[in-house]
Amino acid sequence: MSAGHQTDTSNHSHAHHGVNHGSLAGYLTGFGLCVVLTAVPFWLVMTNALGNQMASAIAIMAFAVVQIIVHIVFFLHMNTRSESGWTMMALIFTLILVMIALTGSLWVMYHLNVNMMPGHDMSQIP
């Protein structure tokens, strides 16, 4: 065989080499966790199990944060090793933008509520 006809099999690697795309067991585990993390807050609200609205709201937010983490790990397969850390940087950037948008929206709504609510009887206006 001449040098021109030799095939180099080292360049024929798979495109998805080293990337974890999950398994059926991983997806079912994630799905089960998501069902539980949705059903428990629903039960907390419907039965008023905690007896306090603020405690219920904090518990629901905690379950929401855990569910976001479950989605990231089990369905989006994001970790610090994937794509040399770029997906983690994109996640952090997205979280910062979401926090800025939420904080700004709540700030604007609070000030609109305080400053725009009438403090007198509107029926007196002609």
Side-chain angles (χ1 to χ4, degrees), residues 60-76:
I60 290 169
M61 294 304 279
F63 277 102
V65 168
V66 173
Q67 190 167 68
I68 289 170
I69 293 169
V70 167
H71 280 266
I72 288 171
V73 171
F74 286 97
F75 300 120
L76 297 178

Side-chain angles (χ1 to χ4, degrees), residues 52-124:
N52 183 353
Q53 286 184 349
M54 184 58 75
S56 295
I58 291 171
I60 290 169
M61 294 304 279
F63 277 102
V65 168
V66 173
Q67 190 167 68
I68 289 170
I69 293 169
V70 167
H71 280 266
I72 288 171
V73 171
F74 286 97
F75 300 120
L76 297 178
H77 309 292
M78 291 180 70
N79 58 32
T80 55
R81 296 180 306 253
S82 60
E83 297 181 24
S84 301
W86 280 108
T87 53
M88 188 57 66
M89 292 298 290
L91 174 66
I92 292 169
F93 179 70
T94 303
L95 290 175
I96 291 170
L97 288 179
V98 168
M99 290 305 298
I100 290 171
L102 285 175
T103 305
S105 298
L106 290 173
W107 180 62
V108 167
M109 287 188 283
Y110 171 77
H111 284 282
L112 284 174
N113 185 41
V114 169
N115 297 323
M116 299 295 286
M117 294 302 291
H120 53 78
D121 188 14
M122 293 297 288
S123 63
Q124 301 295 329

Side-chain angles (χ1 to χ4, degrees), residues 28-55:
L28 290 176
T29 302
F31 178 73
L33 287 171
C34 287
V35 168
V36 170
L37 292 169
T38 301
V40 171
F42 183 78
W43 173 78
L44 286 175
V45 171
M46 294 305 290
T47 62
N48 197 18
L50 297 179
N52 183 353
Q53 286 184 349
M54 184 58 75

